[in-house]
Amino acid sequence: MATANDRELHARGDQPDAPEAPTDLHAFAVRLRRVNGEINRLVHAFAGDHGLHATDVQALAAILDADEPMTPKRLREHLGLTSGAVTACVDRLERAGHIRRVRESADRRVVHLHYAADARSAARTHFRPLAEATEAARSRFTADELTVVLRFLTAMCEELSAITPPGRR
């Protein structure tokens, strides 16, 4: 599927006449940007409905998806923010009732961030259409195809998480 920009380049003669291959890097880049854009649209709507910033919603997702209790330090590293920005984010999320700070260890300096149950319910309600769209898309693939899709998405996440943006080294 060509984009308007692709068609413009083609019209100017800047692109070969060959149609893009289904595994072409450009085709993947376009689809990934589109998926990202659609998810961002839903995230921004949730943020706006709850008086949050889009970064706050990213923080909520990181807390929800963490394999172990999230700490402010790990959240800072995950989001690539300063400690002050993470503190402000965590403060907003706590004030809005989305998370709880809990000191669970013998070391009182260690703070774990937990997604509040009531807030989780609100997020589920808001993002239900995303879950339904995901299920509808999944239903169009075989189990073997879905295994490959998950492998690809996992590999993409691994590759992306290894990238340090310029200026943040």
Side-chain angles (χ1 to χ4, degrees):
M1 168 192 278
T3 65
N5 191 47
D6 296 334
R7 289 187 291 275
E8 180 182 326
L9 289 172
H10 180 71
R12 291 194 324 236
D14 295 343
Q15 188 175 6
D17 287 347
E20 74 184 33
T23 57
D24 179 80
L25 180 60
H26 181 261
F28 274 89
V30 168
R31 278 18 166 247
L32 288 170
R33 280 193 301 269
R34 287 182 180 168
V35 167
N36 185 55
E38 292 301 324
I39 290 173
N40 279 341
R41 183 175 58 82
L42 298 171
V43 164
H44 284 275
F46 180 82
D49 290 351
H50 293 271
L52 302 173
H53 299 186
T55 301
D56 299 342
V57 181
Q58 290 177 331
L60 286 172
I63 292 165
L64 181 65
D65 296 341
D67 293 332
E68 57 187 304
M70 183 62 76
T71 64
K73 179 183 177 190
R74 286 184 44 235
L75 185 60
R76 179 184 60 78
E77 292 167 351
H78 178 78
L79 296 176
L81 299 175
T82 65
S83 59
V86 166
T87 297
C89 173
V90 169
D91 287 346
R92 281 191 304 273
L93 291 173
E94 188 174 43
R95 270 194 313 273
H98 288 277
I99 65 165
R100 295 178 297 109
R101 285 180 169 115
V102 179
R103 297 184 193 285
E104 296 175 335
S105 73
D107 184 347
R108 299 285 297 152
R109 295 171 297 177
V110 177
V111 175
H112 291 150
L113 307 173
H114 294 280
Y115 210 125
D118 291 346
R120 193 179 293 222
S121 175
R124 277 193 192 113
T125 298
H126 183 89
F127 289 104
R128 183 169 288 120
L130 175 59
E132 291 167 353
T134 302
E135 186 53 39
R138 285 180 64 234
S139 73
R140 300 190 323 221
F141 295 86
T142 67
D144 288 344
E145 290 171 325
L146 289 172
T147 298
V148 173
V149 169
L150 281 176
R151 278 184 37 230
F152 171 76
L153 292 173
T154 300
M156 277 298 301
C157 288
E158 289 169 358
E159 294 295 328
L160 291 171
S161 70
I163 298 172
T164 302
R168 296 205 179 190
R169 295 187 178 146

